[in-house]
Amino acid sequence: MFIGRLIGAERVAVGEVVFTTAVVGYPQALTDPSYKGQVLVFTMPLIGNYGVSEDQFESDGIKVEGVVVFEAAAPSHYRSVMSLEEWLVAEGVPGLARVDTRALAMRLREHGVLMGALGPEEPGELLKRLRASLRYEEVNYVDLVSVKEPRELGDGRLCVGVVDCGVKRSVLTEFLKRGVKLKVVPCRRPELAFDCDALFVSNGPGNPKLLDFLVRQVREFAEYKKPLFGICLGHQVIAMAFGAGVYKMKIGHRASNKPVKDLVFTGKTYITVHNHGYAVDPRNSGLRVWAVQPDDGTVEGLYHESLPILTTQFHPEASPGPQDMRWVFDMFMKRMERHAGR
């Protein structure tokens, strides 16, 4: 039990408690659909010091269930329109401040991620709510963050179909910068984008093992031998479509400073943004590993030797964070252009 000062909405939140070691980027993290269903703990002690502005959002609003910080700082930035506390109140999201987030992170490192309840009620009542709630891995959160109807963005010669499992705005921006048209479709209807020149399966929240419906349709698309690209959850879905396994990590990778070693294309080690609690075991899939996390050997990128397939477990769009890996989008674009030119 951790006691702090309630900030934000005066209500109870239940979710999987995870932590991020990112130093900057709290607006992007809180609005990242991949955090749906989770209570996010920031190990950086000062959160909120540059306020809130919508140009930093990765979606239409806060997606985390709750927030835990050491100090909710008063903002000081010319673009800020409100404080962190005001933002949480406006969006109905509860949080705790003045919590020993270092001790909490150490607890999670020791035991692995845990379900937790946060709010203004007595500990006994919070415990009852926690015990009555579904576990994180039992809920299909993708359906809660995906678009409901298809939409198109951009006006390029080539079309990328985006299967929206909770796609970040910065991912869409990276594609649009490269002059393509995007057809964004619901995660339940990827076939609506099969007529595009390539298919992209996005990042998103939750347990990939609950996405059998999407795995089957990605496997069907792969039979067309068109370019296929996936980031984070999309990486896991594509891997499963080829027979790979996935497993839940003890604490996952959530940071903006994780090293990734490129084993195939450049041989270099890059600093990258991560947000994943599951990982891929590519054995028996026919997919090859091109990137790993050198600290623990987690598979961070896959490709196919004869098909135009590329995936990353990390986030090459890196918003916010180092821009080391944005060339992955360029590499995929070249593959798509070559395929379209056949």
Side-chain angles (χ1 to χ4, degrees), residues 133-169:
S133 299
L134 292 173
R135 295 188 62 81
Y136 176 77
E137 57 268 20
E138 296 174 333
V139 181
N140 191 346
Y141 290 104
V142 165
D143 285 333
L144 303 179
V145 295
S146 177
V147 292
K148 305 306 178 188
E149 298 293 335
R151 62 190 179 112
E152 293 189 358
L153 302 170
D155 188 26
R157 178 178 62 87
L158 297 177
C159 172
V160 177
V162 177
V163 182
D164 180 14
C165 300
V167 67
K168 294 169 63 178
R169 285 179 177 174

Side-chain angles (χ1 to χ4, degrees), residues 44-257:
M44 174 66 183
L46 296 177
I47 298 296
N49 53 341
Y50 54 89
V52 177
S53 58
E54 192 170 351
D55 62 313
Q56 299 169 320
F57 289 11
E58 289 289 358
S59 66
D60 58 0
I62 298 176
K63 293 294 182 284
V64 301
E65 304 301 320
V67 183
V68 181
V69 300
F70 175 71
E71 182 174 339
S76 178
H77 195 278
Y78 73 99
R79 286 186 177 178
S80 175
V81 296
M82 68 181 81
S83 69
L84 173 63
E85 293 191 52
E86 291 169 337
W87 187 29
L88 293 174
V89 170
E91 300 225 11
V93 178
L96 279 181
R98 304 309 296 180
V99 171
D100 187 345
T101 51
R102 176 178 293 183
L104 179 50
M106 291 175 66
R107 177 68 60 87
L108 295 174
R109 283 187 58 85
E110 179 183 354
H111 293 282
V113 292
L114 300 166
M115 292 294 293
L118 176 160
E121 297 184 357
E122 293 296 321
E125 290 301 315
L126 291 175
L127 187 58
K128 287 180 183 178
R129 293 219 192 189
L130 182 58
R131 287 173 172 165
S133 299
L134 292 173
R135 295 188 62 81
Y136 176 77
E137 57 268 20
E138 296 174 333
V139 181
N140 191 346
Y141 290 104
V142 165
D143 285 333
L144 303 179
V145 295
S146 177
V147 292
K148 305 306 178 188
E149 298 293 335
R151 62 190 179 112
E152 293 189 358
L153 302 170
D155 188 26
R157 178 178 62 87
L158 297 177
C159 172
V160 177
V162 177
V163 182
D164 180 14
C165 300
V167 67
K168 294 169 63 178
R169 285 179 177 174
S170 54
V171 172
L172 301 177
T173 298
E174 287 300 319
F175 278 119
L176 293 173
K177 282 180 184 177
R178 289 159 175 82
V180 299
K181 180 173 71 174
L182 299 179
K183 181 187 285 188
V184 184
V185 300
C187 63
R188 293 273 178 179
R189 301 293 309 279
E191 72 278 2
L192 296 177
F194 280 11
D195 60 336
C196 288
D197 298 289
L199 192 70
F200 169 72
V201 186
S202 84
N203 62 285
N207 181 0
K209 294 180 180 180
L210 300 180
L211 304 180
D212 287 346
F213 64 92
L214 182 54
V215 170
R216 288 194 300 270
Q217 291 179 299
V218 169
R219 187 183 300 124
E220 178 183 340
F221 179 84
E223 294 177 359
Y224 296 120
K225 299 184 179 180
K226 289 183 179 182
L228 182 58
F229 183 23
I231 291 177
C232 205
L233 181 66
H235 154 88
Q236 296 159 9
V237 168
I238 292 172
M240 288 191 294
F242 280 81
V246 295
Y247 61 93
K248 188 172 178 65
M249 304 171 72
K250 182 178 179 181
I251 57 172
H253 293 169
R254 298 174 182 89
S256 58
N257 56 356

